[in-house]
Amino acid sequence: MHGRLTHMDWGVAPGRWGEPRTSSHTVGDALDPRTLAFAHAHLGPAGSAPAPKEPRVDPSRLSDDRVGELFAGIQARTDDDARARLSRGMSYVNLLSWRSDEPVRVPDAVLFPRSHEQVLAILSVCSTERIAVVPVGGGTSVTGGIDTPESDAVVAVSMDRMRSVLDFDEESALVTVEAGITGPELESFLNPRGWTLGHFPQSFERASIGGYIAARSSGQSSSGYGRIEDLLIGAHVATPVGTWDVGGYPAQSSGPDLRHLVLGSEGALGIVTSAQLRVRARPTLREYTASILPGDFAAAASAVRALTRSPLRPTVMRASDPAETEALLTMSAPRGVTGWAFATYVRLRRARPGSLIILGFESTSESTVGAMRAFARETLGERGAVSIGNGPGRAWERGRFRGPYQRDALIDAGYLVETFETIVPWSQLKATHERLSNAARNALGSRAYVMAHISHSYDVGASLYFTVLAGGRSDPSESAQQWRRAKATIMDALVDSGAAISHHHGVGRDHLTWFGLSIDGVSTDVLRRVKASVDPRGIMNPGALVPGQGGGP
Amino acid sequence: MHGRLTHMDWGVAPGRWGEPRTSSHTVGDALDPRTLAFAHAHLGPAGSAPAPKEPRVDPSRLSDDRVGELFAGIQARTDDDARARLSRGMSYVNLLSWRSDEPVRVPDAVLFPRSHEQVLAILSVCSTERIAVVPVGGGTSVTGGIDTPESDAVVAVSMDRMRSVLDFDEESALVTVEAGITGPELESFLNPRGWTLGHFPQSFERASIGGYIAARSSGQSSSGYGRIEDLLIGAHVATPVGTWDVGGYPAQSSGPDLRHLVLGSEGALGIVTSAQLRVRARPTLREYTASILPGDFAAAASAVRALTRSPLRPTVMRASDPAETEALLTMSAPRGVTGWAFATYVRLRRARPGSLIILGFESTSESTVGAMRAFARETLGERGAVSIGNGPGRAWERGRFRGPYQRDALIDAGYLVETFETIVPWSQLKATHERLSNAARNALGSRAYVMAHISHSYDVGASLYFTVLAGGRSDPSESAQQWRRAKATIMDALVDSGAAISHHHGVGRDHLTWFGLSIDGVSTDVLRRVKASVDPRGIMNPGALVPGQGGGP
């Protein structure tokens, strides 16, 4: 009905992140064979997983006529392809579900509003009719944030038709965009004008601004540009009770800042239809460097901490633990002068390689980059770091969005590959790193490869981002179960250590149990009341945010 | 009852900011006679105002026995002096009320809890008994935030006995303090250990950390250290329904950030009893410079904007409009080399002096200060700024907390003196500055002196801080009426321009009407629901935050 979209419209085949270089902005390379070789060497051969397949989809509980009547004038689809595609996100478990024969829950219709008013109309109708609504931006949630909830009727609201730039106040460095716009689209608007948002999460190529806001995202250049909450100045939100405008000031002391209810709202408090964002001068100078710091991960953390606490902090900072350092260097061993320097270093130290530290310096000013570079060199130098040249840093920058493509290939080859992340104060970093590494290893078996890095750091603490590699099961459903069990063990350990449920992946459905354990009763009731205020019938993304609330309206 | 405190316990006489140098940390000088001379020259003689007097206070509606019974084990006072002192803040209207014969509303008792548990007990009892509660930290609100509401019974809860440092995690740069602690007390703990909070609002000498949080404060060094919301990592809050813990992570994407409901909560959602704060290395290097930038205020704003948008931004930035520049230079005309440079500059330009720009550079690193200084010099230099040396900058730093003392003296001399402030995006700064300057002049008469500065700037906008000087009335109540009328006109213009109700003074009772006009119906309902969740009987500081709610529980 209403005109069928082709695969070309979606851009990618379902059940995969996509083919490298499908997007005009992509920098994803084809998978380096050394990645597979590394997995094979550490984990043994894993066979292969079935390819993504046409899913078995229950018939829609909303007839085309009913959809046309309820949502008159709004583009809609009820075909299996659209409903399956908009039924889940991009977690490992989500991706496996495309390869499995088990049935998945899918929405009864997919709606494509073109304006704030159309979104308002949809939410009003769904509230009256008690139809659950799942907002979908880029569809890249890795926490089950857009998985179809159990409910009598569910519609997915795609923000795909709301991707315009609405206003650009260049003097104030404020851009206003429809929330369905993706990072590459916004950068394509800003870059030729000399500006950038500077928000580059690994989902950059596909995620939408609305998704960033709903999941409280943070990008790889967060040291320089801040998190999405540092970039969001105001939001225009459609809710079942009407329009909700929050923020709009550079800063204020006019009561509680309700932007921070919309940030992290996980689609459960309304749909952000447009956002006012702070932009920065696009850096004309970009340098990336790599060093190896001897010693354990605590030494690397201490170096990053010292770098973070200066106004001259690098724009990008990433410090890998020894396990990740070994993996990265094996997977992309430096050659030439760098390789020689690195080999010499390793020979002299006769030790594990220490921690790979990648730094990026971005600015429009030569003297600023110079000051940043000098400060970093001094800080790392006095800790005995050995530069391995600009090559690995540049390689990291070129491959910074490659992770999800590699995951596709590793899943194809039958491996379990997933990430989890948290944040703690500096004083708890070492203990939390060890505890979570061990929890993951214990949960996944002795042959699992568990590695971590710091990629977002603050004066008072830092994130820990873990990647796990293990042999999968031949049945994708069993692999999913294997990971679900491991993840539960890891999350228990995480909550028990007092670490945050998530630094930048969000809550969604996958983290809801542990989110509920991590906040107190008063906070839970406050969230429940806020939800009741803006969504009295409980139709908005049920089960994705408020602990103790069921799946459906 | 329960032991009477003397004036020594309060530190200062009521109805005034205080005597310069009463606090160990004060940097307030005696009032420069040139300030009065300036007022006299521009506004004419104003006679004098009556001195603060013993207020006429209604008898307490809670007997000593009743207080002892309700709040067993908690220190309490019901004498006139204590009740009068804790009955209001430090706005111009508040200060005038001490000099007037009109009766003022005062609380029926003042309570001095010593622990989170005692605060919880107070709120539980007051909720059951429907007694309104006004939390009082340093008592420096300038927006009527602690003015006694109209209610059957009211208690003021002084945080004066909760001023300890509870924990210091030096590795994470996190200090945990009881919320009654003042800035000087916290700095006295931090400074010898090499740390600072870096939060220096003009109320620094007397305000409490809890007050900063409740009013969403910002200090004079906000460019370097950020606003209170950038410093608050976690808060432990007592509410009528129990303990509410918010935050506690360096950053997170675990749903809405409820810290931002406590920040700006104006005492209406509970009482912050302790706070976890981010601290910074105490700068060992501190330089303050002053320049005069030719041209109008827009030129100065443009220079500040360019400075703000660099990581090398100064720690302190303040740019005065031509009216304030003239006033400051007249009140403290530079002497010696600086005076010669300035006189030469004015002679050459044959014009109004332009804008006085004061910059501060603070760091522990010589090279960082050097990079900041060089960047500032280049940015101002290419705009034609003329340095007037370090003297005026240093003088500003020495006198940075002097404003409230000067206000006392100007009120003594019969002048109307008050401030108001807002924040707008850069593109609206010029128009808003002109509109509000004109609104204030029109409201206060042609002889009023209205001046403004930017002292808090952001990538996307800046605050505007206005000071007005006018001849007062001989009757303090009439002077108060004169200002109330003018303020209403100014606030109408402010809301009409789309500017924020406040950048750092807060909402309180004085701004509630305009706060209600500045947020939408959904936001108002969200605030109402949050309030109902944590304060179901509406006892917490009624009338100070939620638009449309009455004064009492």
Side-chain angles (χ1 to χ4, degrees), chain A residues 43 85 88-89 300 328 383 446 552:
Chain A
L43 308 170
R85 279 176 183 269
R88 69 206 104 164
L328 287 175
R383 285 167 171 79
S446 58

Side-chain angles (χ1 to χ4, degrees), chain B residues 12 23 25 57-58 67 97 208 229 235 256 264 297 348 403 424 429 445 474 498:
Chain B
V12 289
S23 138
H25 218 92
V57 169
D58 283 337
V67 169
S97 72
S208 70
E229 60 255 45
F297 193 45
L348 288 175
V424 287
L429 194 96
S474 55

Side-chain angles (χ1 to χ4, degrees), chain A residues 262-335:
Chain A
V262 172
L263 286 154
S265 59
E266 302 273 347
L269 302 179
I271 298 182
V272 178
T273 57
S274 65
Q276 191 184 33
L277 301 161
R278 160 194 186 189
V279 299
R280 313 312 228 294
R282 187 188 189 200
T284 46
L285 303 163
R286 302 153 62 91
E287 283 181 26
Y288 293 86
T289 68
S291 311
I292 302 283
L293 190 77
D296 62 6
F297 192 44
S302 163
V304 172
R305 190 175 67 222
L307 289 169
T308 303
R309 288 182 178 168
S310 167
L312 297 174
R313 78 184 66 87
T315 316
V316 171
M317 280 187 264
R318 181 186 162 113
S320 296
D321 69 2
E324 188 173 285
T325 299
E326 197 180 324
L328 287 175
L329 294 177
T330 307
M331 288 185 202
S332 55
R335 279 180 270 261

